[in-house]
Amino acid sequence: MITLGKRALLGAGLATLAAPAWAQGNYPTRPITMVIPFAAGGPTDTVGRLIAQAMGANLGQTVVIENVGGAGGTLGAQRVAQARPDGYTILLHHIGMATIPTLYRRLAYDPINGFETIGLVTEVPMTLIARRDFPASNLAELVQVVRRDREKLNYANAGVGAASHLCGLLLQKAVDAPMTTVPYRGTAPAMNDLLAGTVDLMCDQTTNTTEQIRAGTVKVFAVTTPEPIAALPNVPTAAQGGLPGFEVSVWHGLYAPKGTPRPIIDRLNQALLAALQDPNVARRMADLGTAPVAAARATPEVHRQFWQADIAKWRPLIQAAGQYAD
Ligand code: ASP
C-alpha cells in the first residue's frame, strides 16, 4: 500500500513537472482531441459528439473527435494512455474499461493505472436486433432458431471487450449455444452489414439502434434493461421475453492520461457537467433511449470507484466464461 501511494505521488509530481505552468493557468489554449475507441457513426461516437460539442462551448475551444477503432476499443485507449498528460487528449470509453483488464492478457498500455478519471457520462441500454428478414418474430422463437441453426448464424460485434461482445456472451450463455462472431471496428459498420443482410444478429446500444428500429429496417427482440424504456415502449425486456438475467447497461466515462494535473481534470469535469446539464444534450439522449448521469455521479472520484467496482464485478464472470483475447 505504502509503495503504491509513493509511486502515485511520484507519478503525479513528474506529471506536474511535465506540463508547463501556462498549460494549467490558461488551459485550454488550443483544441482538445477526444478519442473515441470505435468507428465513426456508432453508439459511442454519437454520445461523444454530443458531449464534445457542449464541452467545447464551455471550454471556449473546439473538442475534436478522433475515431481510433479496432481491437475491441483497446487501440483508442492505448492512444490516450500513451498521450502527453496535458489535457489536450482525452478518451470517451465505455464498460469495456472494466472488462478489458481481465479479457486481455497482453496490452501495450496499463488498462487500470494508465488513466485519470474525469467523470461518468451516461448509461445506455442495449437491444437485441437481427436482420429484417430473420425467421423469428419474438425472443422465444429467436432462441429456438439460434439453438437449431447456430452453425449457420453470424453474430456481429465490435471485437473482444466491446459492449456488443459482452452482450453476445450473455446471450450465448442464456441460450446455451455458441455462435460464429464477426468482429468490426465498431457497430456502425456492423450495422451496415446487418442492414445489407450479410450478418444475422447483433446486440447493440440504443444510441445506434433506436432510429433503425423505429424505421423498421431491423428486427428487434428485446431491450436489456429490467424495465421497458420510454424511447422504445413496445420493445419487451429480455426477462419479459423469457430470458431473465439477460441484462446489461453500457456505462460511459471520460478519461485523461495518467498524470494529467488535477486543475486540468477539474476544468474538464466542469465542462463535462455543463454538457450533461445542457437541455439539448439531454433531449437528444432521451430520444436515443439514454440520459446524462446525475451530476453527483459525474465526478472523478465516483467515476473511479464505480469503474474499479465494475472491474471486480466482471472479473469472475469473464474467468468463468474462459474467453480471453490473446
Ligand atoms: N461502442 C461500440 C461502438 O461505438 C460498439 C460496442 O461497444 O459494441 O461501435
Side-chain angles (χ1 to χ4, degrees), residues 36 38-39 42-45 94 126 157-158 161-165 185-188 203-205 250 252:
I36 304 286
F38 296 101
T44 306
D45 185 69
H94 66 16
M126 300 194 85
N157 71 22
S164 44
H165 164 254
R185 294 178 84 79
T187 50
C203 185
D204 195 17
Q205 297 165 68
V250 184
H252 290 70

Side-chain angles (χ1 to χ4, degrees), residues 5 13 59 120 128 169 171 225 266:
L59 289 161
L120 291 169
L128 180 58
L169 283 185
L171 174 69
T225 40
D266 288 343

Side-chain angles (χ1 to χ4, degrees), residues 17-262:
L17 283 180
W22 58 263
Q24 292 175 48
N26 304 328
Y27 173 84
T29 56
R30 57 186 169 87
I32 295 167
T33 298
M34 182 189 285
V35 172
I36 304 286
F38 296 101
T44 306
D45 185 69
T46 298
V47 169
R49 281 175 202 271
L50 265 178
I51 61 160
Q53 204 181 8
M55 283 181 72
N58 181 275
L59 289 161
Q61 288 289 342
T62 312
V63 178
V64 182
I65 298 289
E66 185 182 328
N67 297 93
V68 184
T74 59
L75 298 183
Q78 177 180 336
R79 154 103 170 79
V80 176
Q82 294 172 350
R84 279 174 66 95
D86 58 6
Y88 290 99
T89 310
I90 57 176
L91 172 71
L92 177 74
H93 210 318
H94 66 16
I95 191 168
M97 287 293 280
T99 57
I100 283 165
T102 311
L103 280 169
Y104 282 77
R105 294 198 252 228
R106 273 190 301 271
L107 285 169
Y109 68 100
D110 185 332
I112 299 176
N113 299 309
F115 304 92
E116 305 289 348
T117 49
I118 298 170
L120 291 169
V121 175
T122 181
E123 291 201 33
V124 187
M126 300 194 85
T127 43
L128 180 58
I129 57 174
R131 62 181 155 81
R132 194 180 184 171
D133 54 354
F134 192 85
S137 54
N138 56 43
L139 189 57
E141 286 179 21
L142 176 129
V143 170
Q144 282 178 6
V145 175
V146 169
R147 287 192 178 133
R148 190 188 63 216
D149 294 340
R150 63 173 179 258
E151 319 269 279
K152 288 184 252 160
L153 295 174
N154 290 318
Y155 176 91
N157 71 22
V160 177
S164 44
H165 164 254
L166 201 60
C167 193
L169 283 185
L170 295 177
L171 174 69
Q172 292 181 36
K173 192 164 170 252
V175 303
D176 197 21
M179 276 176 282
T180 305
T181 53
V182 186
Y184 293 80
R185 294 178 84 79
T187 50
M191 178 66 91
N192 289 340
D193 279 4
L194 197 76
L195 293 173
T198 50
V199 288
D200 302 297
L201 286 165
M202 176 161 75
C203 185
D204 195 17
Q205 297 165 68
T206 55
T207 36
N208 199 34
T209 63
T210 300
E211 284 170 352
Q212 301 294 353
I213 292 169
R214 284 189 191 133
T217 48
V218 295
K219 228 178 217 185
V220 62
F221 295 92
V223 60
T224 65
T225 40
E227 302 293 333
I229 61 169
L232 295 167
N234 300 323
V235 179
T237 66
Q240 285 171 336
L243 288 183
F246 179 54
E247 268 178 29
V248 57
S249 140
V250 184
W251 60 271
H252 290 70
L254 208 57
Y255 303 80
K258 183 77 184 169
T260 304
R262 183 69 199 212

